[in-house]
């Protein structure tokens, strides 16, 4: 299953990119994120960097193992998340146009068992709805942060 959605954010791509990879900032806009940690020093972020995220989903705590597949600040970040029942690839692609940045979100879900495969359509709807909500929260966080910097 694949889907794409996008949003325009009133900030430069360089102001948005840290919100996509810094655990403290991600906790402000990623719904259900309980914990996120890099498994190597943050100074060494790049392709191959591994991380772990714990999410609250439908009342349960779920752990994902992740890996950075592509990192080209401030234009692109692609990560893989692995769960015992499915793999996800999530991509963020940023393109600047004057004072606005278009952030395109791409998700690919690969079921690893028949239960997830049967539920793929419903999961897709929930994942897409959640992605749109999260991008709206991200926009709010980034624009509030940019406004605060501008006022200083």
């Amino acid at each position: 299953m694949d889907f794409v959605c996008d949003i325009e954010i009133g900030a430069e791509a360089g102001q948005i990119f840290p919100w996509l990879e810094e655990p403290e900032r991600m906790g402000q806009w990623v719904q259900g994120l309980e914990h996120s940690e890099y498994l190597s020093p943050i100074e060494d972020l790049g392709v191959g960097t591994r991380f772990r995220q714990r999410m609250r989903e439908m009342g349960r705590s779920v752990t994902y193992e992740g890996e950075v597949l592509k990192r080209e600040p401030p234009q692109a970040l692609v990560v893989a998340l692995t769960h015992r029942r499915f793999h996800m690839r999530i991509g963020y692609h940023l393109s600047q146009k004057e004072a606005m940045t278009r952030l395109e979100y791409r998700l690919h879900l690969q079921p690893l068992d028949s239960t997830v495969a049967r539920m793929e359509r419903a999961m897709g709807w929930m994942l897409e709805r959640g992605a749109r909500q999260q991008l709206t929260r991200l926009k709010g966080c980034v624009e509030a942060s940019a406004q605060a910097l501008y006022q200083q």
Side-chain angles (χ1 to χ4, degrees), residues 42 130 143:
I42 197 164
E143 290 179 352

Side-chain angles (χ1 to χ4, degrees), residues 39-124:
L39 303 178
S40 57
I42 197 164
E43 302 82 41
D44 298 333
L45 278 182
V47 173
T49 299
R50 300 186 82 58
F51 61 92
R52 185 174 295 124
Q53 292 182 335
R54 189 174 63 246
M55 307 283 296
R56 173 70 50 186
E57 296 176 348
M58 299 183 343
R60 294 191 318 216
S61 190
V62 179
T63 299
Y64 293 93
E65 300 294 325
E67 180 179 354
V68 176
L69 302 177
K70 179 178 183 179
R71 183 177 183 272
E72 297 174 358
Q75 288 89 22
L77 178 66
V78 179
V79 299
L81 293 175
T82 301
H83 180 273
R84 63 183 174 83
R85 301 179 81 180
F86 55 86
H87 292 300
M88 284 191 293
R89 187 177 62 246
I90 299 172
Y92 301 93
H93 302 276
L94 298 93
S95 54
Q96 182 103 23
K97 186 175 182 183
E98 298 175 14
M100 300 295 285
T101 299
R102 178 176 173 264
L103 188 152
E104 180 184 87
Y105 174 95
R106 293 180 172 269
L107 181 133
H108 171 76
L109 175 75
Q110 177 186 355
L112 298 178
D113 69 23
S114 59
T115 302
V116 173
R118 283 192 306 271
M119 296 173 44
E120 191 171 355
R121 180 174 291 176
M123 283 183 68

